Amino acid sequence: MAISSDRHSLIPSFLYSTSFTSKALALDKITANSDPTITRCTPSSAPNKCFMIQSPSEPGKIEMFSPQFYAACTVGGILSCGLTHMAVTPLDLVKCNMQINPAEYKSISSGFGVLLKEQGVKGFFRGWVPTLLGYSAQGACKFGFYEFFKKYYTDLAGPENASKYKTLIYLAGSASAEVIADIALCPFEAVKVRVQTQPGFARGLADGLPKFVRSEGALGLYKGLVPLWGRQIPYTMMKFASFETIVENIYKHAIPMPKNECSKPLQLGVSFAGGYVAGVFCAIVSHPADNLVSFLNNAKGATVGDAVKKLGVWGLFTRGLPLRIVMIGTLTGAQWGIYDAFKVFVGLPTTGGVAPAAAPVAPELAKGSS
């Protein structure tokens, strides 16, 4: 009898769990039906009559791809993006000012000196509230919807295509998630850049948001949405696809044991390392659009043409890039570390890993699963 043709997602098998469970259940069914002397394993079964070993009880464990799973991923995204972006606010301040006012903020070291002289120690965290709220909202959508779209596109592709084109699924899932995430981020980003690059504009979000709306209207908050998409979508596609690939290769080539045998600290270390390397790629790919976002949000009525004319094509690709590589590399590594640490905390596996080779199914198992 043929194996059931029901389509199942490959993600649980090649990213998060083993493929043994369903086969074990089928074997248990076969043996229970064929031999009445063998007792099915239940909590009340005698240990010496159980053919299969009863798995330990795991109260409170979150079921993969359940609403609770996506809720946990959303909370992990809030923590990973909101906290890390707030922590690097001083770096972000210098970067934005180097992009907007290169005559005064000529380098990283001198930029910190100018910022300290002009705004004092408090100036290093100017704009931290819109940064925290904006990137928390973005992180919630980015990670939560990535997990959703990754499984959704995998199911659409089917087992064979999902395994063959998994990198395309990572790219499509992350791009879809980022479109939504940037809509949540954009108003906060607009106010943040204005507060950070125009010290006299406002103290923070509470007074900066209404002032911005009075000046440019509510739609002005989304003036930088298209450039933001241009910056964040390639960034996120690179962030997720390269991370998944890097982590898979670390487990495949650098660690002499299967992922499920590695300690949790080691797995989290792999997540940070993979995230840092992915972050370097992200910074390079998205930097020109990052310069455009800073320029457009700083000046009222500014256009992309104005930015290209003032900064130049070479400037779009290079101005502030070394600092952004350090910032984004550290940021992305920390984000993946925090995200996976939260997943471990709530009982979920870390992200990424090696796809196990498909094991042949015995004829008896095939009959039992049909």
Side-chain angles (χ1 to χ4, degrees), residues 320-344:
L321 180 60
L323 178 58
R324 192 157 185 266
I325 286 176
V326 174
M327 184 181 80
I328 297 299
T330 305
L331 195 73
T332 307
Q335 284 177 356
W336 278 112
I338 292 172
Y339 179 67
D340 275 349
F342 182 78
K343 289 173 74 175
V344 168

Side-chain angles (χ1 to χ4, degrees), residues 39-359:
T39 305
R40 290 177 60 87
C41 289
T42 65
S44 60
S45 301
N48 61 346
K49 293 195 175 186
C50 281
F51 180 78
M52 303 298 296
I53 299 174
Q54 178 72 17
S55 63
S57 175
E58 296 179 292
K61 185 175 178 62
I62 297 175
E63 181 183 351
M64 293 298 299
F65 310 114
S66 64
Q68 292 77 15
F69 167 78
Y70 293 116
C73 293
T74 298
V75 174
I78 291 173
L79 295 174
S80 68
C81 289
L83 295 178
T84 52
H85 276 277
M86 183 184 68
V88 298
T89 297
L91 286 172
D92 192 38
L93 265 166
V94 174
K95 174 189 71 68
C96 287
N97 281 283
M98 285 177 66
Q99 294 169 331
I100 299 304
N101 189 7
E104 188 173 5
Y105 290 81
K106 298 178 180 179
S107 67
I108 297 173
S109 57
S110 66
F112 279 105
V114 171
L115 190 64
L116 180 63
K117 181 180 178 181
E118 291 187 347
Q119 302 182 35
V121 176
K122 290 184 178 180
F124 284 109
F125 282 91
R126 181 179 294 275
W128 73 269
V129 174
T131 297
L132 174 63
L133 296 181
Y135 282 95
S136 292
Q138 186 214 35
C141 298
K142 184 198 297 277
F143 282 90
F145 279 108
Y146 172 69
E147 298 285 4
F148 170 80
F149 282 118
K150 182 168 66 170
K151 183 177 188 303
Y152 177 74
Y153 292 141
T154 296
D155 290 341
L156 283 181
E160 183 177 350
N161 287 330
S163 180
K164 186 177 181 180
Y165 301 110
K166 58 186 176 182
T167 300
L168 292 179
I169 289 174
Y170 300 149
L171 292 170
S174 56
S176 300
E178 190 60 37
V179 169
I180 300 170
D182 288 343
I183 295 173
L185 169 65
C186 194
F188 297 97
E189 181 76 359
V191 175
K192 176 187 79 74
V193 171
R194 189 67 61 88
V195 168
Q196 289 180 337
T197 58
Q198 295 182 14
F201 174 73
R203 293 188 303 274
L205 181 66
D207 57 336
L209 179 60
K211 189 172 182 179
F212 193 105
V213 172
R214 286 196 301 270
S215 173
E216 302 194 29
L219 291 178
L221 293 169
Y222 286 92
K223 179 179 67 175
L225 180 59
V226 173
L228 189 63
W229 276 334
R231 179 188 80 184
Q232 290 298 133
I233 291 176
Y235 167 91
T236 301
M237 293 170 72
M238 180 66 73
K239 173 179 180 175
F240 283 87
S242 62
F243 172 83
E244 298 267 16
T245 302
I246 291 165
V247 166
E248 180 175 336
N249 280 282
I250 289 175
Y251 283 114
K252 186 182 294 184
H253 301 293
I255 298 179
M257 65 180 71
K259 177 185 173 181
N260 59 0
E261 295 180 13
C262 297
S263 66
K264 294 302 181 184
L266 177 57
Q267 292 185 37
L268 294 177
V270 170
S271 294
F272 177 82
Y276 196 99
V277 176
V280 174
F281 295 139
C282 292
I284 295 171
V285 167
S286 63
H287 193 65
D290 182 62
N291 274 321
L292 286 177
V293 169
S294 296
F295 187 90
L296 293 175
N297 284 325
N298 178 66
K300 182 178 180 179
T303 65
V304 173
D306 295 333
V308 174
K309 183 177 179 180
K310 182 173 181 179
L311 301 177
V313 175
W314 180 250
L316 283 175
F317 280 87
T318 60
R319 182 164 292 166
L321 180 60
L323 178 58
R324 192 157 185 266
I325 286 176
V326 174
M327 184 181 80
I328 297 299
T330 305
L331 195 73
T332 307
Q335 284 177 356
W336 278 112
I338 292 172
Y339 179 67
D340 275 349
F342 182 78
K343 289 173 74 175
V344 168
F345 175 75
V346 298
L348 292 170
T350 58
T351 310
V354 180

